[in-house]
Amino acid sequence: MAKKDIPFASCKVTVKSGQLSTKDYDGLMVALFQDEDLPKETFNGTKLEGDPAKKIQELIKNKEIRATFREFTILHFPVGKKMQRLIVMGLGKRDTEKIDIMGMPKSHADDVDHVRSVCAQAARTYRRIGVKRMIFLPDSVPGLPTEACAEAAAEGVVMGLSKFPKYTQKEYKLRPFNELLLLIRNKKELTVAKKAATRGEILARSVVQTRKIINEPANIMSADGLEKEAKKVATSSKKVSMKVYREKDLKKMSYQGLLNVGAAGSQPPRLVELTYKGNPKSKSTICLVGKGVIYDSGGLGVKPNGGGAKMKYDMSGAAVMLGAFNAIKDLDLPINVLCLLPMAENLIDREGYRAGDILKMANGVCVEIHHTDAEGRLILADALCHAGKKKVDAIIDAATLTGTVSVCLGHVVTGIMGTNQPLIKKLVEAGIYRAERHWQLPLFPEYGVHIKSSVADINNLGGRPAQTSTAALFLKHFVPEGTPWAHLDICGTAWIGEDTTQYFHKPYLPKRGATGHDVRTVAHAIEEIAKETAKKKCSIRELLTGEKAKKKK
């Protein structure tokens, strides 16, 4: 069985200033909006060998190029010339809606995502035909900021070229794609474009690594394997420290969720704690929590036939939060972040927990087990209690928690719930900017009747009605009182199959497998929080609640 990593990392992103006439390149990419002529900004008045501007305009006039979304036309030029090929990508019709369906401002988000998408498709197309180097002009798309186009191009190409290595006897070969060159004609925009492209590349590489972690089978990406991935992140920066709480520690802290869910696992349960000190002068910290069920058999309440092979993805929440944490670290954001990754394997063994068991959790809440396949919320409960001990200012958790969220929202939208509307709004707005959709679901107290127990404080199942909301209500019992909290149910968006693929709408996504959805959203939201706390000179809690911290006398 041979497996080699696909060389997505070999594609470097370079930003330079200059004119097209001075550059040698294998392929150029031009992006056009539907029903619009070739903008003057595309070639900026520069005359090139073969006069591509004239050829493109003729094809537009003859309606051979319509520029519908993802339509592409490749123009070839004589051998020996500086430019060998030019690919014209269609952006579709320009988006005229300024407000998102949830009432949030879009600010060209859909148009920018089309740039992200066609850059991914162009790079894949060029790689397929052997082109190793592509140039794109971020300042050539009229109506869109150069900064946004540079960032989107870097994101799209790096994410779009990634491919999970196959475990095959035969060596898996893929043509190399070496470089995306972003050419800025106006030197005044060069610095801003460089920062934007770097941000986009960092976010994209974190997404790619997240996908790889999730796609790996559970016998390889075990609890030990995921811990090693966390250690790689920790050792890559002096600002990051790591601590692992093992079984002995979990017993001392009475983390019954991890201990019981992981009792039948092939490897012991643990809680991995990563700390990033981006603002060491401040005690204010935001916490990321990710569900890390390495493999979910359902426990003694074993899952029905058909979905077992996919259950390696039940640690997607942990992988996504590790990816977001890695991006925050690489972006060097001036904010303190605590990342908690509870890890356990929900397998079948005589040591495993049973339906009917009652667990007294770390905060004193007693939970009656109604089903052993509702295990994720139990290990998240321990992590949320741990966040409370650390006195964090706010919490964001991500988990493949309920299958019903995909019944409600499909595989396109992440369900979001929580106790703090400003935090939820920041995540939704970040998702709009990054083209990762979210929809807020209610946490009405009336739903609490579904998780009542006759012998304990609550039960861990809640039944079928409003299951996504009742699962979040379960978690709410373990969120420290008064702490802003947002919960992302990524069960529908973390993984896509061939029948639910979004590849045709977003070519930077895989056709099937792990998506890395919400890595960019969470990192973007944290970046915005860091900017606002610095600007207002306040803590994260003060920013989100509007309440000033009480000064000690």
Side-chain angles (χ1 to χ4, degrees):
M1 182 171 67
K3 170 185 173 263
K4 292 189 177 181
D5 285 349
I6 301 306
F8 65 84
S10 65
C11 168
K12 65 178 181 178
V13 179
T14 308
V15 184
K16 292 181 180 179
S17 64
Q19 297 298 323
L20 277 172
S21 57
T22 65
K23 302 294 176 185
D24 292 319
Y25 41 89
D26 298 331
L28 171 67
M29 183 198 125
V30 171
L32 302 176
F33 282 107
Q34 188 175 343
D35 300 328
E36 294 184 15
D37 288 334
L38 180 70
K40 292 179 181 179
E41 295 94 329
T42 303
F43 295 102
N44 210 21
T46 304
K47 287 191 176 181
L48 300 174
E49 295 169 312
D51 200 356
K54 184 179 178 181
K55 286 187 177 183
I56 293 170
Q57 191 56 49
E58 284 176 357
L59 291 171
I60 292 172
K61 187 178 179 181
N62 296 333
K63 299 196 181 298
E64 290 183 50
I65 291 179
R66 301 178 63 86
T68 55
F69 179 49
R70 291 192 61 202
E71 173 198 86
F72 69 92
T73 304
I74 299 177
L75 304 181
H76 294 264
F77 295 88
V79 176
K81 299 294 183 183
K82 285 185 176 181
M83 181 171 64
Q84 295 295 304
R85 297 175 187 83
L86 185 153
I87 187 167
V88 182
M89 299 297 308
L91 291 170
K93 289 188 176 181
R94 203 182 281 272
D95 183 30
T96 56
E97 297 291 333
K98 294 182 179 180
I99 302 297
D100 182 77
I101 192 170
M102 285 189 73
M104 304 288 187
K106 287 165 68 172
S107 185
H108 306 297
D110 287 350
D111 289 339
V112 171
D113 189 52
H114 281 191
V115 171
R116 188 183 289 118
S117 294
V118 299
C119 283
Q121 185 178 359
R124 280 181 165 181
T125 302
Y126 269 150
R127 179 175 63 181
R128 177 174 55 81
I129 62 177
V131 173
K132 297 179 181 179
R133 186 167 174 256
M134 181 177 88
I135 288 186
F136 174 58
L137 313 169
D139 55 3
S140 69
V141 186
L144 297 184
T146 299
E147 178 185 7
C149 288
E151 187 171 342
E155 280 183 285
V157 169
V158 174
M159 288 192 293
L161 289 175
S162 73
K163 205 170 180 73
F164 182 66
K166 290 184 179 179
Y167 286 88
T168 54
Q169 201 171 23
K170 210 173 181 180
E171 186 178 339
Y172 188 68
K173 292 182 179 179
L174 196 66
R175 285 176 167 176
F177 185 96
N178 297 333
E179 183 184 14
L180 167 66
L181 173 59
L182 299 175
L183 193 62
I184 309 298
R185 275 85 60 90
N186 185 349
K187 285 186 178 180
K188 292 180 182 179
E189 294 184 308
L190 182 61
T191 302
V192 173
K194 276 186 175 180
K195 286 182 180 178
T198 299
R199 188 189 303 116
E201 185 179 4
I202 285 171
L203 291 170
R205 294 206 185 285
S206 292
V207 169
V208 169
Q209 186 60 22
T210 299
R211 290 176 185 172
K212 185 177 181 294
I213 290 171
I214 298 169
N215 279 324
E216 290 284 6
N219 62 323
I220 291 171
M221 195 53 65
S222 58
D224 288 346
L226 187 52
E227 182 185 323
K228 285 177 184 175
E229 292 295 331
K231 192 172 182 179
K232 287 179 188 176
V233 174
T235 54
S236 64
S237 171
K238 291 181 180 179
K239 293 184 179 181
V240 178
S241 59
M242 175 174 162
K243 185 174 182 179
V244 182
Y245 299 92
R246 305 200 182 275
E247 272 188 297
K248 187 179 177 181
D249 307 306
L250 300 179
K251 287 176 182 176
K252 283 182 182 178
M253 296 184 289
S254 193
Y255 288 169
Q256 294 300 321
L258 278 162
L259 290 167
N260 280 271
V261 172
S266 60
Q267 293 180 358
R270 68 207 68 184
L271 175 64
V272 172
E273 176 187 287
L274 292 161
T275 304
Y276 167 72
K277 289 287 184 183
N279 186 7
K281 291 182 180 180
S282 171
K283 291 183 179 179
S284 185
T285 302
I286 191 164
C287 181
L288 306 180
V289 178
K291 171 188 166 185
V293 175
I294 303 302
Y295 182 82
D296 184 17
S297 70
L300 291 173
V302 65
K303 289 181 181 292
N305 269 341
K310 182 184 167 184
M311 281 301 105
K312 64 181 182 179
Y313 101 118
D314 215 17
M315 36 67 74
S316 295
V320 163
M321 286 314 198
L322 180 60
F325 183 88
N326 184 62
I328 291 163
K329 176 260 299 178
D330 286 346
L331 289 167
D332 199 25
L333 299 183
I335 190 169
N336 300 324
V337 182
L338 178 70
C339 183
L340 300 176
L341 309 176
M343 301 178 191
E345 229 176 347
N346 190 24
L347 297 182
I348 302 168
D349 187 84
R350 63 183 180 182
E351 300 294 328
Y353 74 129
R354 299 148 295 224
D357 287 357
I358 296 176
L359 310 183
K360 186 174 182 180
M361 308 300 278
N363 66 345
V365 173
C366 292
V367 178
E368 181 188 6
I369 305 303
H370 274 195
H371 206 297
T372 58
D373 194 23
E375 81 299 325
R377 62 202 72 183
L378 297 173
I379 70 170
L380 284 172
D382 287 341
L384 292 169
C385 287
H386 193 75
K389 290 179 183 178
K390 294 291 179 177
K391 301 189 184 305
V392 299
D393 287 45
I395 303 170
I396 304 169
D397 82 73
T400 48
L401 204 61
T402 64
T404 50
V405 76
S406 58
V407 176
C408 177
L409 300 175
H411 297 271
V412 180
V413 184
T414 290
I416 186 169
M417 293 140 276
T419 58
N420 182 269
Q421 207 57 36
L423 180 58
I424 291 170
K425 184 181 177 183
K426 287 193 181 302
L427 287 161
V428 172
E429 286 178 339
I432 291 169
Y433 189 89
R434 297 290 166 189
E436 294 181 331
R437 299 184 189 278
H438 299 77
W439 192 264
Q440 186 173 357
L441 295 172
L443 286 184
F444 297 135
E446 290 88 342
Y447 286 144
V449 69
H450 294 292
I451 56 172
K452 275 189 174 181
S453 167
S454 59
V455 292
D457 294 309
I458 52 175
N459 78 74
N460 77 321
L461 185 58
R464 293 188 68 82
Q467 197 173 78
T468 301
S469 292
T470 59
L473 269 179
F474 178 94
L475 295 180
K476 188 181 173 186
H477 281 80
F478 304 94
V479 175
E481 189 175 350
T483 302
W485 164 65
H487 163 63
L488 301 171
D489 195 331
I490 61 172
C491 196
T493 51
W495 185 278
I496 46 178
E498 289 181 9
D499 56 334
T500 56
T501 184
Q502 296 301 304
Y503 171 79
F504 300 103
H505 298 286
K506 298 178 179 181
Y508 52 84
L509 290 176
K511 290 183 179 178
R512 64 176 302 276
T515 62
H517 197 284
D518 281 311
V519 169
R520 293 178 298 133
T521 290
V522 172
H524 184 106
I526 299 292
E527 184 175 17
E528 291 303 307
I529 290 170
K531 286 178 184 176
E532 288 189 45
T533 52
K535 184 179 178 180
K536 297 180 180 180
K537 295 181 180 179
C538 65
S539 70
I540 296 166
R541 188 185 291 266
E542 288 169 347
L543 177 72
L544 297 174
T545 63
E547 299 173 3
K548 288 189 176 181
K550 293 180 181 178
K551 292 182 179 179
K552 293 182 180 178
K553 293 182 180 179

